[in-house]
Amino acid sequence: MTRYPHLLEPITIGDLTLRNRAVMGSMHTGLEDWFWDVPKLAAYFAERARGGVGLIVTGGYAPNKRGWLKPFASEMSTRLHAERHKQVTAAVHDEGGAIALQILHAGRYAYTPFSVSASATKAPINPFKASALSTRGVDRTVSDFARAAGLAKRAGYDAVEIMGSEGYLINQFLAARTNHRSDAWGGTAEKRMRFPVEIVRRTREVVGEGFPIVYRLSLLDLVEGGQSWDEVVTLAHLVEEAGATVINTGIGWHEARVPTIITQVPRGAWTWTTAQLKQEVGIPVCASNRINTPELAEQLLADGTADLVSMARPLLADPEFVNKAAAEREDEIITCIACNQACLDHAFRNQKASCMLNPRAGRETELVLMPVMRPRTVAVVGGGPAGLSAAVSFAERGDRVTLFEKSTELGGQFRLAMQIPGKEEFAEALRYFRRRLEILGVDVRLATEATESSLAGFDEVVVATGVEPRMPSIPGIDHSSVVSYADLLTGSAVAGKRVAVIGAGGIGVDVAHFLTHDPTETTEDWLAHWGVGDPSMHRGGLTEPRPREPVREVTLVQRKTSMIGRGLGKTSGWAHRAVLKQAGVAQVSGAAYRLIDDRGLHLTVDGEPLLLEVDTVVVCAGQESVRDLYDELAGAGVPVSVIGGADVATELDAKRAIEQGVRLAAS
Ligand code: NAP
Ligand code: SF4
């Protein structure tokens, strides 16, 4: 008996039998775009196939040039393209896996001046305005989708996925918001649906019976003028009749102002819509978005919400996700914490995607931890993200590692991050590292301050002593109302009802959220705050947001005059800024700090004095490196390296810290 009988149960879709119901969802890695990256892409997918996943879906490939996501982006339109893909499909098949090619036409999301859409419109997230496809152009585009599917079959793919969600071209045809046509492809809901239905129908003609066609359907558009629920259900019936084998589900257009996959989205927040759709269709339905554990996947399959479960980032984070679940080693899974820091933030910045917790992801051929010939003794000082990563990576190579941590617990900045509402997933990262240390037999010494003498005799020393909060020299900084963010988040200080936050970087924004958040908030409340309503009553699933009731009055202050939260993550920053607005957090930019006293925080703004009458002042003014030990050891000629915040405190983030740890061990 297994703990995951439903997840591990095979399923037959068309002529294809999948070994289990775990699907690695589509995600663009940046390895798709250039032919010289094909061997890396093959290695990336092969590692995931070896890890046991049932079906892999590639990143999106355009059916023609007008469908490119950006100039010279991935495309499947010629026999030469198909030929190159044989290396990828063979690598996956050699590992016993199955792989589908996703066909994605970007429409008005294409980052090129040559983009096309149903009508001449511009997406709010793209500087380029699309031109309208001619009636013949629409017909040609439909044929291009079908041709791409035929080429995928020729390349050895086991299936295709037609990307009909997230606001790309197919959605743009489906929604009155973006389809203003009056020809055979627009004007009424039925005519707007012709585009995807014809794509599926002609694709079926080209690939023949039995070849699986997955259609990714947008369940909730989450934009004004999106599809109504009746239209979504009608479309599902029509694509089923036209020849789709599976319906995968998507939530929200990229331009939607509701977060759908970042950490603050509760796990499984959207699966209720999948369950509703499943009642309507006869073909298998796949759930997606914020499903990141085998337990949740199993539950969704067991309770009949879905027939398959798609997980994109979780399989990026841990290629062995399925094998670990099957072996009931789920506590060894690198759980995706939905931070987007190294995956989607990279993809949207035109960089290659990887994973913050697993920097080897997407770099399988480059970042290799080769076993050492002669194990060395390695001391790692500091049990935060950098130290944990280094300790695990050196031990994975076969070195004998001792990890010194001054406090009584491992985790460093992770321990603070996991206190932030919606960032509780950081606890999973810590659980993973702890378990790895245990399995690898790392000698962990808690409550132990390493010194030059206790480190004598180690072949190599890695200093990862982290950072300490910066306390700026403002008159009154020693006042009893002043606390550091670290004291606040660890619970050693408690804030009053009226709070000023000094510093509006990533941590200041997080702390403002922490201070205003109502800890009793449920998933239903979360959806209501973001204005997500019952799609059968509200078109696109959007309704009037329910106001938040902040538990404190908070003012966020910075010296810069730029917009607060500007430097936050590309794909998540807007949502953090929106939460502050929802919670009524006041913001003061361009401030000079004058004094902190019994009355509160005294500022000068635009040359005028301003007093914030507050009970507590929380300091989030960045950090300073803690590197005395490193300086001491280096001065004494000890072979020592420094990584993480102890190396550079500015713009420190866990992504850099973890990657430094792995790279140091690999080198
Ligand atoms: P940070 O982003 O560098 O922000 C610290 C802020 O403190 C600065 O924006 C600065 O703003 C202010 N400051 C600096 N020196 C000061 C001084 N002497 N007196 C008064 N104010 C001062 O650092 P952080 O907020 O501590 O975050 C640390 C790292 O974690 C960053 O890399 C951050 O991106 C990352 N992080 C990101 C997120 C996220 O993306 N959601 C969340 C948490 C942490 P002014 O100079 O304008 O006052
Ligand atoms: Fe998940 Fe973050 Fe890794 Fe992306 S970078 S796969 S969101 S843990």
Side-chain angles (χ1 to χ4, degrees), residues 31 53 120 212 225 227 266 276 291 301 303 310 351 377 387 390 425 457 474 528 555 564 584 610 653:
L31 294 174
V53 66
Q227 282 192 290
Q276 284 179 15
I291 303 166
L301 296 166
D303 68 18
S310 170
Q351 297 167 341
T377 54
E425 295 274 13
I474 301 168
T555 306
I564 279 185
L610 175 68
D653 66 43

Side-chain angles (χ1 to χ4, degrees), residues 166-324:
E166 324 304 292
Y168 292 112
L169 182 69
I170 290 180
N171 269 152
Q172 294 158 27
F173 265 87
L174 286 168
R177 166 191 182 81
T178 38
N179 184 341
H180 313 144
R181 304 178 73 95
S182 53
D183 61 1
W185 304 97
T188 63
E190 289 68 32
K191 286 187 185 170
R192 290 196 296 270
M193 286 182 210
R194 264 194 78 208
F195 184 63
V197 174
E198 273 300 294
I199 288 174
V200 175
R201 196 183 60 75
R202 282 195 226 170
T203 298
R204 176 54 72 209
E205 277 173 12
V206 169
V207 296
E209 282 308 304
F211 188 78
I213 300 174
V214 181
Y215 181 84
R216 189 147 189 213
L217 184 98
S218 180
L219 293 186
L220 298 176
D221 289 340
L222 299 178
V223 288
E224 280 171 24
Q227 282 192 290
S228 72
W229 183 249
D230 282 351
E231 288 165 6
V232 169
V233 171
T234 304
L235 177 64
H237 288 144
L238 291 175
V239 296
E240 181 178 1
E241 279 164 31
T245 324
V246 173
I247 290 184
N248 192 3
T249 53
I251 305 288
W253 290 28
H254 284 317
E255 68 202 65
R257 293 293 89 185
V258 178
T260 55
I261 58 167
I262 60 174
T263 314
Q264 66 158 279
V265 180
R267 280 185 189 174
W270 310 105
T271 54
W272 49 278
T273 47
T274 313
Q276 284 179 15
L277 185 84
K278 188 167 151 47
Q279 308 300 320
E280 305 283 349
V281 292
I283 53 178
V285 172
C286 184
S288 74
N289 285 38
R290 278 302 272 132
I291 303 166
N292 63 343
T293 64
E295 292 85 352
L296 178 56
E298 175 64 19
Q299 182 201 318
L300 295 171
L301 296 166
D303 68 18
T305 295
D307 306 284
L308 294 138
V309 175
S310 170
M311 294 169 282
R313 296 170 300 166
L315 267 293
L316 176 73
D318 196 335
E320 281 199 90
F321 182 100
V322 176
N323 281 352
K324 286 178 181 173

Side-chain angles (χ1 to χ4, degrees), residues 341 345 413 417 420 423 470-474 485 502-510 557-562 567-569 572-573 576 590-591 593 619-624 649-654 656:
Q341 275 180 258
D345 282 352
Q413 300 294 309
I420 304 298
K423 290 198 172 177
R470 176 186 292 132
M471 284 310 228
S473 50
I474 301 168
Y485 70 87
I502 292 182
I507 292 181
V509 169
D510 275 355
V557 188
Q558 69 171 10
R559 298 174 302 182
K560 286 189 280 292
T561 49
S562 54
L568 299 178
S572 57
H576 293 302
Y593 300 107
V619 180
C620 304
Q623 299 82 16
E624 310 278 3
T650 352
E651 306 233 321
L652 168 73
D653 66 43
R656 174 157 60 81

Side-chain angles (χ1 to χ4, degrees), residues 330-333 335 427-435:
E330 48 288 85
D331 57 350
E332 292 176 40
I333 290 176
T335 304
E428 297 284 359
L430 196 45
R431 180 264 307 145
Y432 160 75
F433 278 115
R434 277 206 204 98
R435 184 72 183 117

Side-chain angles (χ1 to χ4, degrees), residues 9-13 16-21 246 284-285 307-308:
E9 188 188 1
I11 181 171
T12 299
I13 53 169
L16 176 69
T17 298
L18 303 177
R19 56 189 165 179
N20 56 58
R21 288 160 186 249
V246 173
V285 172
D307 306 284
L308 294 138

Side-chain angles (χ1 to χ4, degrees), residues 29 101 104 129 191 205 209 266 284 331 370 373 383 393 414 445 465 469 474 478 596 628 640 661:
T29 60
L101 181 95
L104 179 155
K129 183 175 176 183
K191 286 187 185 170
E205 277 173 12
E209 282 308 304
D331 57 350
M370 298 288 282
M373 303 295 277
S393 304
F414 274 162
R445 302 194 189 163
T465 39
I474 301 168
D478 295 330
I596 302 164
D628 302 354
V640 59

Side-chain angles (χ1 to χ4, degrees), residues 313 316-317 335-343 354-357:
R313 296 170 300 166
L316 176 73
T335 304
C336 166
I337 60 173
C339 65
N340 283 1
Q341 275 180 258
C343 53
S354 185
C355 172
M356 179 181 90
L357 298 175

